[in-house]
Amino acid sequence: MAAAAGRVLPASPNWYCSRCSDTSADGRFFGFAARHRICLLDVSSPAAPAFYGELLGHTDRVAAFAFCRHPAHGGLCASGSDDGNVQLWDADSLGPLAEHDLHQNAVSALHWSPLVKDLVVSGDEKGIIVCYWHSRSDSQQFFPEPRTIFCLTCSPHNENLVAVGYKDGMVIVIDISRKKEILHRLRGHDDEIHCLAWCPVPGEERLPAWQDELQAGEVPNGELSQDATTKKGCYLASGSKDQTIRIWSCTRGRSVMTLKLPPTKRRGGAIDPAVKERIWLTVHWPCGRSTEIVSSSFGGELLLWDLTQSGKRKWTLLGCSEGQNHSRIVFNLCSVKHQDKELLFSISMDRDVKCWDLSTLDCSWTMPSLGGFVYSLAFSPVDPGCLAIGVGDSMIRVWNTLSMSNIYDVKTFWQSIKSKVTALSWHPTKEGCLAFGTDDGKVGIFDTFSSSAKNKPPQISSTYHKKTVYTLAWGPPTPPLSSGEGEQPSVTLYSCAGEGIVFQHNPWKLSGEANDINKVIRDTNSIKHKLPARTEISWKPDGKLLALGNEDGSIEVFQAPSLKLLCTIQQHHKLINAIRWHHEHGSQPELSYLIASGSVNATIYVHNLKSIVENTSESPLTITEPFRTLSGHTAKITSLSWSPHHEGRLVSACYDGTAQVWDVMKEEPLCNYRGHQGRLLCVQWSPVDSDSVYTGADDFYVHKWYISKQEHTRPPQGKKSIELEKKRSIQPKVKAKKKKKPIGKSPAKQDLSDVVNGDESVKDVLLEENGVSDHEGEKEAREMELPDKVSTPASKDISSSASESPFSLSKPFVTQKAPPVKKDPPKEKPNFSVFDASLKKKKPRSILPFTTSMDHRSKDELHQDCLRLATCLKTKDHNEEVSPDLGDHIHLGLFADRASLHNMIDVEGKYHLESGHPELYQQLMLWKGDMKGVLQAAAERGELTDQLVAISPMVGYQAWVWTVEAFAKQLCFQEQYVKAASHLLSIHKVYEAVELLKVNHFYREAIVIAKARLRPEDPILKDLYTSWAALLEKDGHYSMAAKCYLGASSPYDAVKVLAKKGDVTSLKAAAELALISGEEELSASLSFRCAQELLLSRNWVGAQEVLQQQKTLFGQRLVFCLNELLCKCLSERNPCNRKSPVPPCYHSWELNSDASFFDMVIEVWQKELGTNTTEKATCAQEQLRSIEHPPSTSNTHPKQVLFHISHDLTLAALSYQAAAWDEAVKSILGAVTRSYDAGNFTLMQELCSIFLPEGCENLRDKLDSTNSQSMAACRSLEGFAAYGLLYDLWWNPPKDSTVLQKTGLDPVLCPSEQPALEQSSVSGPSSPEDTPDQTATKMDENLNSTTEFQRCEPESDSRTSSVDLVARQSNLNGCKVLLSEPTAALQNTQRDIAEVQQILADMIHQHQQQRNNLQENTNGSIQEGNVPQSSENESDKPSSDKSQINRKDEVKETITLPELTKQLLEAKQKLAEFPDSLKFYPFPDVLECCLVLLHIGSQCPPELREQALDLLRKHGSANVYKKAGGKFLT
């Protein structure tokens, strides 16, 4: 992997682990755990680290990692993970050695014994320690304390001692040779132990600063003389969360020194110093120093403690100059001796890995790392080496990739982002102006350039998107910004996001409202139907055209500034992820009209919009033919980038885990990069080095890699793809942790996953976090997260997805969740009677149980009641106003006045509520007449029932309405939305009922209510239909969605959604629907697509049926008909033994086999399709002439080539029918050259013999001899016919000759191999880059291989039958047409031009490589730059297979730039002198034909032979022809 990638920004080290990074004993490697993998850096070079590779195998977060300290096994290391596994690795080969899963819980600490070379000791969260001897696969388990282990370390002086630190502050020392024994319990710390370190020097010399409270004699573990103490023991240092470091004596078993962390000043920190950040106190005792310890401190500072120093200040700060320190807490420290220096490595929460020189205490280098998916890469157009990286850890990195002094010169921007950075775009002209978009819909602009920019917050647009921002682009202003008063910005910022809207932001006034550009598009193009959801935007570099990619797979191209729709590209039919325009600065300006696009489909399409832009038609056009098709990837395309150094070279990033470089013009894959361990999300071609590309992926890495160093040329297929899938599936498992809330997958998350990250489940979301284990570090980290925090420890993503409860949608009646409703329904009486029918009937519960029970007491008490009642009533008689005081005898209220009765009812009611019978309480209150109170109480407690609602009108109209609303709310909490809506209808709240159902996705019910109760023209109805349709469309229920659109009277959208599936039946239905709806143009394009699908499955009958309904496709019906007859004819001429998987479905037309092919076709047309009238034929001809097909290449699908040929031949047949011979010749020539360009030589020969069985003679007689164009076309056609014949004669020598047997042995000459012809320079002036050099070289190989049987010819001549020879002679004479002097001269000039252009390209390439090598050498990273200059990248040099002689010649004669320019100018002038008729039509390579004629030998007529030699002498100046024709010319 290391070889594949040049430079790498790795994933961030994991947080809150006691030891998850380490260095190898030999100082070569530094390794750290990053999520579930281990990243290895080669740190042997002092200048900068190099990425070495990754160790892959764990399925969960790696929490512990250590190297073996034995010199012989320096490359061995071990790791422990949350999945309970411990793995052993060989770092050199990046492979696993052994593993064990003896832990039942997450491994939290691990160490490789420094003295026993095969012993690895590990501890887990439950307190179990496992010793594992890997060479003998033996293990032993200990359980000294039932506490959570935080760290452990093996003694470097006694192989049996292990120190263990626990979460609660306890430290113990155990002897692993005596299983039960704990040697010491070291008490003193009162919080988590973060790190333990043994003193590297044995013995316990008395330190001057000892706080020695005990007397020398009082040794806890028995008597020891002072002498013995110093010899035997060893110090142990511990760092704890309680902010102290303690030094322990192992002989005494107690602390001898306590160091308290000083309150250092935070410098350049990214956090308000007043806030107490979580502390992590790690310690490291550098080897060979018994009195010095390095420790972390508050907020990222490192301290060097001198233990011999007396007094308070024992520490020195590392890294005194600005910006050297970490800005957040440091987790791990480790050191290594390197040559004469001691280097210290640190990893921190700020995601930097730093290397320190302990002699100077300065930072040697910093390696940044990434804590999230890499969503976006962007190179600055103003400062070309400046690469911005958008990462899922809420930070932007700006990497100066050209920095000489520091190859990892990275600035970090985090202010005000607070969410994953999903899109980036640099301002085209203003330095340092970087726009960013985030996962939560925010758009802002950073100034990365100014010196004060470091902590300056960005400007944030006041207009937020509702969902993830997918793309940002700077482009010219469009209305209303382009037409506003006063001064306007020259470029504005466009953002496109997950909800499908594109906003235009004014960069001068981000606080103002952004404009939705759909409004302008609607107004300019007067569109009525629903606009598709936008997913991608791309401005042509000159700012004249804007391309918008849509969710339905269409791409719309608009003209700036009014955004007039020019054309729609209907090609992908799945969501568009990437659109890129070709750059403007090539030598072929027409290439700037190329637009490449990638979608959720794996195919990349390139379209050429030149003719569209130059076309002046008023109505927008629809494009369904790609200019080039690049297929090979097996998953969705996420990003594309054109090479700024080449013409027509593209790189794509894909979910199949690879990046692919393509030669677009040849449709050829050139190189495939497979270095990532995840799905690729973004790609950028380096603007300064033509051989390097940068990619970012969901493995948290950015890779810079070299095209010339890749071994693969195309994406992995089949098995490889499965392996990649498997590699990706080793993702961390997410455990259901007790302390976390369950994660509900929220709608907002879902959308991001659909588009940016595929179906990225919550699992993926969790991967974003740098493994924080579940101790309360996570909780605390979350508590202390500030609004402006650098990064997100723990579960920022988790909380965001968990926070969206099922109720968080904006429902009208859900204001706030009431106390939880009791699940079991109120126990009403009728319920019992049902169950107890068989039992004895139960007595109904008394409604006044308290009063009744009071009347069933002893006789004495009842007598007392009577007396009490009499007294009270007596006082009442005397004083009317005073209510009798019954005291505790509330039950007597039954016999007293109303107030007492009310008291009694209240007590009874309270009793009912306490015993869980609210229904009886409500009944009592109804008797009392206090219904309002009941309703309020029931509503507050969420205990309203249907019965209560039914009774509520007795309180009054307002109370009834209020109760129904409260009941509806209650039902919503119980998720009974339909019932809630019915209750709302009862109080005439129709709109609220509909909205409630809509928000909870009960669309069917909502529509029924709205249709039944509202006016037909109410906009609510349309809104319901369209919202439901959008939901159905997302879930793939297309036909249902189409019905919704029809209901909303948007037939256009119904058609679009039906066609979305793209299979034959869907397209057919969509086309018919469009026809019914009057969308004729759309219907025609869908019918044509459907017919093409049917054509692929060879069903011509079905295709004709589909096309039949469309008048505008009459021309295509003729093409399909001719295509059918041509396929039939070809299969009869070349019967194939292979059974086709799909049998062809032909029409049962009567064919006249005696007539010529054209006559037969025209007869079928007239009989079956009715082309009898001239109007119909003319109409068809006009239809077909308006369609231009792209030229074919050797990668074009054969069926497509045949279809395009059928199109050309249909035009020829129509001209033939109208006796327009001039046009007919041009069309036939088009068909023949198309087969020739596609490299299908056999097809070219077949076409010539089907359409020109008699040759071109009688065709020439019918032409207008004054028309130079058609005469030239005819000459060209004759050339190709003769060319086919010539090879025929050469490959099929006279029968009965020994030659035949020899040829049979010669594999090079088999026609199916298509020798030399594919690359021939025949394409003429249109593509000078196809030099004939390759052709001739290949031919030369072919020709030389035939020389072996040239010698047999004299004898064989005598035996050849004379008849056969006469026919051959006349055929050979027919080849005279190929030996055309002017054509040879023209082709020679074109070759010269191509050669000069190639030399120029090579010079530029070589210059760039020298510059890069120079730069790399100055950077000190020689390991990358030692590519020899001669190792030219194959893909960059079309002529790299030139013969060695050629290369040597070039070396001898170095040509200067002025000479080259002069040569080029002369050749171009020469080219201009040739007549246009000669340049316009292609012609076979004349010199190639000369060589074939010479090889045919003695059968070739002498005058032809002479002519061929003459042409070779005159024009064969190119080395390759000299070599091939050498033996004939000597």
Side-chain angles (χ1 to χ4, degrees), residues 477-485 488 504 513-517 519-520:
T478 54
L481 280 181
S482 59
S483 52
E485 294 302 308
Q488 293 294 350
Q504 175 183 212
E513 192 162 339
N515 313 301
D516 178 351
I517 69 164
K519 188 178 177 314
V520 186

Side-chain angles (χ1 to χ4, degrees), residues 518-532 534 556 558 563-565 568 620 1052-1053:
N518 272 352
K519 188 178 177 314
V520 186
I521 291 172
R522 267 184 195 290
D523 296 349
T524 303
N525 302 289
S526 50
I527 296 175
K528 296 288 177 281
H529 58 78
K530 186 186 98 176
L531 290 171
R534 315 293 187 192
E556 295 175 328
F558 299 91
L563 300 187
K564 172 180 181 285
L565 180 59
T568 305
Y1052 181 85
D1053 297 316

Side-chain angles (χ1 to χ4, degrees), residues 1126 1129-1130 1132-1134 1153 1155-1158 1209 1228 1231-1232 1235 1241-1256 1277-1278 1280-1285 1288:
L1126 183 60
C1129 179
L1130 287 170
E1132 281 164 11
R1133 291 170 70 99
N1134 301 304
S1153 46
S1156 72
F1157 187 81
F1158 275 152
L1209 292 174
I1228 297 174
V1232 171
S1235 58
F1241 186 70
T1242 333
L1243 180 62
M1244 186 194 89
Q1245 285 185 310
E1246 289 292 347
L1247 290 177
C1248 288
S1249 57
I1250 292 174
F1251 293 100
L1252 305 167
E1254 305 295 319
C1256 302
L1277 193 54
E1278 278 181 304
F1280 282 109
Y1283 182 69
L1285 210 57
D1288 234 9

Side-chain angles (χ1 to χ4, degrees), residues 524-791:
T524 303
N525 302 289
S526 50
I527 296 175
K528 296 288 177 281
H529 58 78
K530 186 186 98 176
L531 290 171
R534 315 293 187 192
T535 57
E536 173 71 349
I537 38 179
S538 180
W539 277 98
K540 190 166 182 290
D542 61 9
K544 288 178 184 161
L545 300 178
L546 166 67
L548 291 183
N550 300 322
E551 198 177 12
D552 60 7
S554 62
I555 297 170
E556 295 175 328
V557 180
F558 299 91
Q559 201 159 17
S562 63
L563 300 187
K564 172 180 181 285
L565 180 59
L566 281 183
C567 67
T568 305
I569 301 171
Q570 295 283 5
Q571 204 77 58
H572 287 279
H573 317 306
K574 287 268 174 76
L575 185 141
I576 302 288
N577 282 327
I579 299 177
R580 293 290 177 276
W581 292 89
H582 194 284
H583 57 79
E584 307 262 301
H585 50 261
S587 61
Q588 294 168 265
E590 64 273 13
L591 289 185
S592 70
Y593 290 100
L594 294 190
I595 182 169
S597 52
S599 71
V600 175
N601 271 345
T603 310
I604 299 161
Y605 291 108
V606 180
H607 292 85
N608 187 348
L609 301 187
K610 190 170 193 307
S611 57
I612 302 290
V613 175
E614 290 164 358
N615 178 22
T616 52
S617 91
E618 276 309 298
S619 57
L621 302 165
T622 302
I623 300 176
T624 53
E625 283 291 338
F627 173 66
R628 292 287 186 267
T629 305
L630 309 174
S631 39
H633 280 301
T634 51
K636 72 160 91 166
I637 308 296
T638 49
S639 178
L640 301 168
S641 175
W642 289 97
S643 159
H645 313 276
H646 311 84
E647 298 190 341
R649 194 141 314 165
L650 182 75
V651 60
S652 55
C654 176
Y655 254 33
D656 62 13
T658 69
Q660 176 67 40
V661 178
W662 307 88
D663 181 331
V664 172
M665 300 313 278
K666 295 184 184 163
E667 299 186 327
E668 211 177 310
L670 297 176
C671 135
N672 183 255
Y673 178 68
R674 304 183 183 179
H676 283 281
Q677 302 295 323
R679 305 169 300 190
L680 270 67
L681 302 176
C682 49
V683 63
Q684 282 286 330
W685 204 300
S686 162
V688 290
D689 174 9
S690 61
D691 192 35
S692 60
V693 173
Y694 290 79
T695 43
D698 67 4
D699 60 1
F700 292 38
Y701 277 72
V702 170
H703 287 198
K704 170 193 180 183
W705 47 274
Y706 297 103
I707 297 168
S708 52
K709 293 184 186 175
Q710 305 313 314
E711 51 181 304
H712 302 285
T713 55
R714 54 178 68 242
Q717 297 298 318
K719 264 191 188 155
K720 289 269 174 53
S721 199
I722 294 160
E723 280 164 28
L724 276 163
E725 207 48 60
K726 208 149 85 194
K727 189 160 75 174
R728 283 199 295 278
S729 68
I730 309 180
Q731 296 283 38
K733 288 181 200 131
V734 177
K735 287 189 189 163
K737 303 225 167 151
K738 288 171 204 150
K739 292 177 191 168
K740 281 179 199 158
K741 286 184 277 183
I743 292 158
K745 190 163 177 191
S746 64
K749 268 285 163 283
Q750 174 68 46
D751 214 81
L752 165 70
S753 62
D754 283 351
V755 187
V756 182
N757 288 343
D759 313 314
E760 186 185 305
S761 60
V762 179
K763 176 158 104 182
D764 286 359
V765 175
L766 284 167
L767 305 185
E768 290 273 340
E769 308 323 318
N770 264 16
V772 177
S773 79
D774 198 23
H775 38 76
E776 89 271 75
E778 182 162 324
K779 201 163 70 222
E780 281 193 42
R782 220 172 310 157
E783 285 160 14
M784 285 178 288
E785 256 332 287
L786 290 174
D788 267 5
K789 206 71 180 273
V790 175
S791 57

Side-chain angles (χ1 to χ4, degrees), residues 10 150 384 438 448 519 751 828 876 945 984 1055 1157 1346 1410:
F150 247 54
T438 68
T448 64
K519 188 178 177 314
D751 214 81
E828 289 181 25
K876 172 88 171 104
T945 60
L984 287 172
V1055 173
F1157 187 81
T1346 52
Q1410 281 169 344

Side-chain angles (χ1 to χ4, degrees), residues 937-965:
E940 277 165 22
R941 300 163 60 135
E943 289 172 356
L944 284 170
T945 60
D946 290 302
Q947 191 188 356
L948 280 179
V949 175
I951 301 168
S952 63
M954 65 176 280
V955 187
Y957 179 75
Q958 288 303 322
W960 169 59
V961 170
W962 180 86
T963 309
V964 173
E965 284 187 352

